[in-house]
């Protein structure tokens, strides 16, 4: 039987769970300290918690729903982890070193149903949502990697930008954020957590209404419906007008800024006229938005797209700037280790397929079970 992860419970949920199973509510805080401050690897490490309590916990929960399958370290300090779930599926988690801290990028689903035309995730349909515990454990896995190095480094930032559409797994994503924000746990500041969505309007509104209050990023990638539908088929169901309606609701409700992500695809959406159109679209919200320009990481299966030239990237940036739209060009991390979304998994999948074809499949995964992002 696959047990759920103890890391999926908020402190409140653990406090309620314990008395329901004959244990004292007051033990919850100490258990949390063992999980998030001492960062023990299993129940036996919780040395001052009564054995009876540990028995009942371990009967219902695991603390190890992930195991490391592959780890790749880049010369710029980026580390990419290919992690195996209890059911054999593989997911990716990335650690990036940035000026302002250590950022972890987490996966929320095994595969993705949104199927954007440029993304490795879209290649395989979602087979399931990750539980809150499986998302929290990705952070713990990276934190333990840092602990093992003995430099006292801590994960300081989290971006929900790995495989999957977080707003298509809203409840688990929300629980995950509650857990990592908790002051008695990892105590990550809300302003250091960013959730990225392909733009589901109702969920953006629900997010605005929630108590989560972390940063929102929206993958826009085009300034008009025709082009956006061509790049992201989700735009057919939720066109830009509906998305902007949800954006305005969010801005009004939270008074927090939104970051729009815009992948630059050569000769598709990267010309100055696209930048002018984008500036026009955002003009009434100028003070509350910024644009993050993302150099495209080529994906073999999407050979119709190429990375923009440096000249186009600068031209696009310059046009936004002239129109007073705040923008940045995303720094790349770990290009020498396939750190771009989905690439390590993609490669691993191909290797497995080749190994199978050659009759030497020693890795237990196949294309259908490998998460893409
Ligand atoms: N599903 C969510 C979050 C995961 S994707 C979303 O779409 O926002 C996170 C970011 O990675 C998105 O902005 C996405 O557009 C970007 N991305 C996906 N594939 C990419 C690629 N090949 N090169 C560069 N960015 C990519
Ligand atoms: Fe899914 Fe995001 Fe990739 Fe689109 S860009 S297929 S929404 S992971």
């Amino acid at each position: 039987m696959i047990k759920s992860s103890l890391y999926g419970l908020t402190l409140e949920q653990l406090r309620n769970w314990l008395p329901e199973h004959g244990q004292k509510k007051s033990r919850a805080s100490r258990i949390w300290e063992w999980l998030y401050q001492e960062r023990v690897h299993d129940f036996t490490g919780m040395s001052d918690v009564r054995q009876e309590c540990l028995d009942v916990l371990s009967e219902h929960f695991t603390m190890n729903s992930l195991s490391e399958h592959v780890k790749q370290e880049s010369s710029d300090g980026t580390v990419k982890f290919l992690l195996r779930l209890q059911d054999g599926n593989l997911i990716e988690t990335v650690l990036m070193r940035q000026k302002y801290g250590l950022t972890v990028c987490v996966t929320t689903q095994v595969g993705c149903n949104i199927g954007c035309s440029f993304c490795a995730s879209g290649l395989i349909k979602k087979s399931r949502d990750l539980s809150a515990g499986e998302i929290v454990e990705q952070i713990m896995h990276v934190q333990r990697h840092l602990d093992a190095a003995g430099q006292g480094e801590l994960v300081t930032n989290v971006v929900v930008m790995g495989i999957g559409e977080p707003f298509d797994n809203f409840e688990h994503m929300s629980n995950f954020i509650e857990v990592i924000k908790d002051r008695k746990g990892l105590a990550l500041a809300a302003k250091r957590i960013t959730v990225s969505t392909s733009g589901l309007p109702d969920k953006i509104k629900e997010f605005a209404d929630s108590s989560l209050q972390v940063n929102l990023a929206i993958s826009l990638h085009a300034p008009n419906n025709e082009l956006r539908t061509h790049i992201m088929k989700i735009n057919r169901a939720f066109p830009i007008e509906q998305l902007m309606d949800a954006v305005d609701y969010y801005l009004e409700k939270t008074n927090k800024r939104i970051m729009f992500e815009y992948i630059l695809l050569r000769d598709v959406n990267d010309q100055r006229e696209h930048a002018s159109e984008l500036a026009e679209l955002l003009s009434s919200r100028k003070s509350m938005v910024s644009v993050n320009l993302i150099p495209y990481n080529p994906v073999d299966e999407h050979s119709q797209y190429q990375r923009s030239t440096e000249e186009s990237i600068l031209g696009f940036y310059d046009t936004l700037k002239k129109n007073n739209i705040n923008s940045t060009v995303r720094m790349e991390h770990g290009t020498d280790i396939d750190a771009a979304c989905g690439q390590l998994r993609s490669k691993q999948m191909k290797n497995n397929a080749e190994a199978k074809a050659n009759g030497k499949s020693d890795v237990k995964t196949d294309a259908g079970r490998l998460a893409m992002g």
Side-chain angles (χ1 to χ4, degrees), residues 306-342:
Q306 278 104 45
R307 174 183 283 248
S308 293
T309 60
E310 207 149 294
E311 198 188 340
S312 299
I313 298 176
L314 290 176
F316 202 99
Y317 174 80
D318 185 55
T319 307
L320 290 180
K321 203 169 159 206
K322 285 198 176 115
N323 284 281
N324 298 317
I325 303 287
N326 270 323
S327 70
T328 44
V329 179
R330 181 175 290 178
M331 291 282 293
E332 293 181 89
H333 294 272
T335 40
D336 57 333
I337 56 156
D338 310 319
C341 198

Side-chain angles (χ1 to χ4, degrees), residues 108-109 126 129-130 132 135 160 165-178 195 197 200-214 216 250:
T108 52
Q109 298 180 314
K126 175 185 92 170
D129 291 328
L130 292 198
I135 314 176
V160 185
E165 169 49 54
F167 282 2
D168 182 37
N169 185 13
F170 198 89
E171 200 185 320
H172 295 164
M173 182 270 309
S174 303
N175 247 32
F176 153 72
I177 290 173
E178 298 280 356
V195 178
T197 177
L200 311 182
D202 289 351
K203 297 293 175 187
I204 292 175
K205 291 181 181 170
E206 197 177 333
F207 189 65
D209 291 337
S210 76
S211 58
L212 298 172
Q213 299 304 309
V214 297
L216 177 64
Y250 178 91

Side-chain angles (χ1 to χ4, degrees), residues 112 114-116 118-119 121-122 162-165 198 373:
C112 183
I114 308 292
C116 301
F118 53 82
C119 176
S121 334
I163 313 156
E165 169 49 54
S198 57

Side-chain angles (χ1 to χ4, degrees), residues 226-258:
E226 194 188 342
L227 196 49
R228 191 162 190 265
T229 303
H230 175 71
I231 298 172
M232 304 171 75
K233 61 180 193 236
I234 185 79
N235 193 68
R236 205 168 285 136
F238 304 116
I240 290 182
E241 295 73 25
Q242 271 188 47
L243 178 57
M244 288 301 156
D245 173 58
V247 161
D248 291 336
Y249 180 90
Y250 178 91
L251 295 177
E252 173 83 31
K253 187 84 202 233
T254 66
N255 205 26
K256 286 163 69 69
R257 300 169 73 92
I258 293 180

